[in-house]
């Protein structure tokens, strides 16, 4: 009996790992049918007979994004919501523009690993490991043009342009819809807001500080 329970547990673990990423395609392609009312994990397939080359095409990554925001960066995402042909293919990409001293603030992609390369300029990048008995370890690296860095799935990471010229980077992600959780926005800008008592306790600061931070979002 114990052996059977162990076998079932191992099978459950293998199954959970196998299902932990985007589902593999069972046909050549499954172009997203954005007009379908059927709700599935992803998108329903468009009839292959009406699929066109445009379903696999996106234009515009040659254009710089507006970096006039407070943090000084802009992300142009090409995911299944922009490119229907990505449905079930388990991949997407981004162009990120950084103003001088611009930041892509600490964030996570709950459904994807990201690999990033610098096209122009320089970046200081890093990610933080999940909770361990030894705390949360920080890995950082200074990148120049042509350098590549990978951010493991689900881990908090960031990119900062320390220079005085614009920087451009291209990233690829292992999901058609990676999702993004920007830490500061989620913690201090949620709707409705998280209780200031909860956040004051978590960050070991007074409620006035929390209220001020929430007001910024």
């Amino acid at each position: 009996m114990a052996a059977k329970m162990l076998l079932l547990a191992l099978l459950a673990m293998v199954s959970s790992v196998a299902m932990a990423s985007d589902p593999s395609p069972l046909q050549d392609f499954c172009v997203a049918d954005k007009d379908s009312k059927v709700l599935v994990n992803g998108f329903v397939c468009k009839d292959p007979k009406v699929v066109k080359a445009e379903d696999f095409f996106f234009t515009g990554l040659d254009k710089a994004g507006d970096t006039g925001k407070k943090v000084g960066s802009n992300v142009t995402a090409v995911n299944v919501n922009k490119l229907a042909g990505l449905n079930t293919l388990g991949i997407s990409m981004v162009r990120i523009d950084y103003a001088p001293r611009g930041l892509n603030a600490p964030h996570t992609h709950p459904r994807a690993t990201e690999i990033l390369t610098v096209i122009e300029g320089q970046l200081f990048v890093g990610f933080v490991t999940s909770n361990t008995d030894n705390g949360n370890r920080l890995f950082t690296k200074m990148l120049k043009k042509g350098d590549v860095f990978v951010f493991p799935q689900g881990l908090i990471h960031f990119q900062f342009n320390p220079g005085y010229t614009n920087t451009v980077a291209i990233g690829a992600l292992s999901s058609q819809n990676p999702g993004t959780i920007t830490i500061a926005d989620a913690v201090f800008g949620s709707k409705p807001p998280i209780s200031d008592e909860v956040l004051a306790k978590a960050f070991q600061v007074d409620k006035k500080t929390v209220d001020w931070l929430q007001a910024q979002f």
Side-chain angles (χ1 to χ4, degrees):
M1 184 65 181
K4 288 183 179 179
M5 292 298 293
L6 178 58
L7 177 59
L8 288 173
L10 288 172
L11 287 173
M13 290 174 63
V14 170
S15 297
S16 65
V17 170
M19 297 174 65
S21 59
D22 286 6
S24 298
L26 300 176
Q27 57 277 316
D28 288 346
F29 53 78
C30 173
V31 173
D33 184 353
K34 304 289 184 62
D35 297 323
S36 174
K37 303 300 181 183
V38 179
L39 300 179
V40 297
N41 184 24
F43 291 95
V44 172
C45 302
K46 184 184 290 188
D47 185 344
K49 295 177 183 177
V50 300
V51 169
K52 303 176 182 178
E54 285 72 16
D55 290 318
F56 303 95
F57 175 77
F58 177 90
T59 186
L61 283 191
D62 59 317
K63 297 178 175 62
D66 180 11
T67 58
K69 304 173 183 178
K70 285 184 178 180
V71 294
S73 70
N74 185 282
V75 179
T76 303
V78 186
N79 53 40
V80 70
N81 297 307
K82 301 279 187 67
L83 183 55
L86 288 174
N87 194 39
T88 76
L89 298 184
I91 194 169
S92 58
M93 66 185 302
V94 294
R95 169 182 171 142
I96 313 176
D97 292 278
Y98 311 81
R101 318 300 289 179
L103 171 71
N104 189 11
H107 62 282
T108 74
H109 301 296
R111 295 180 289 276
T113 291
E114 178 180 2
I115 187 167
L116 185 88
T117 184
V118 177
I119 305 300
E120 292 291 345
Q122 58 184 326
L123 284 176
F124 176 69
V125 304
F127 68 84
V128 181
T129 63
S130 53
N131 298 353
T132 69
D133 292 339
N134 297 318
N136 304 85
R137 187 175 177 188
L138 173 65
F139 292 85
T140 62
K141 190 71 176 176
M142 191 70 200
L143 306 182
K144 61 182 185 303
K145 182 177 179 179
D147 289 344
V148 176
F149 198 81
V150 65
F151 305 102
Q153 180 173 340
L155 298 187
I156 295 174
H157 59 283
F158 63 87
Q159 303 107 31
F160 175 67
N161 176 11
Y164 294 94
T165 59
N166 293 332
T167 291
V168 180
I170 295 290
L173 300 107
S174 61
S175 172
Q176 67 182 39
N177 188 21
T180 300
I181 303 172
T182 304
I183 307 306
D185 291 349
V187 173
F188 296 108
S190 67
K191 296 179 182 180
I194 299 173
S195 163
D196 58 0
E197 184 174 5
V198 170
L199 293 180
K201 185 76 171 180
F203 288 95
Q204 296 294 290
V205 297
D206 59 62
K207 290 184 182 180
K208 288 184 178 180
T209 300
V210 171
D211 293 340
W212 180 85
L213 285 168
Q214 288 179 323
Q216 308 311 304
F217 296 88

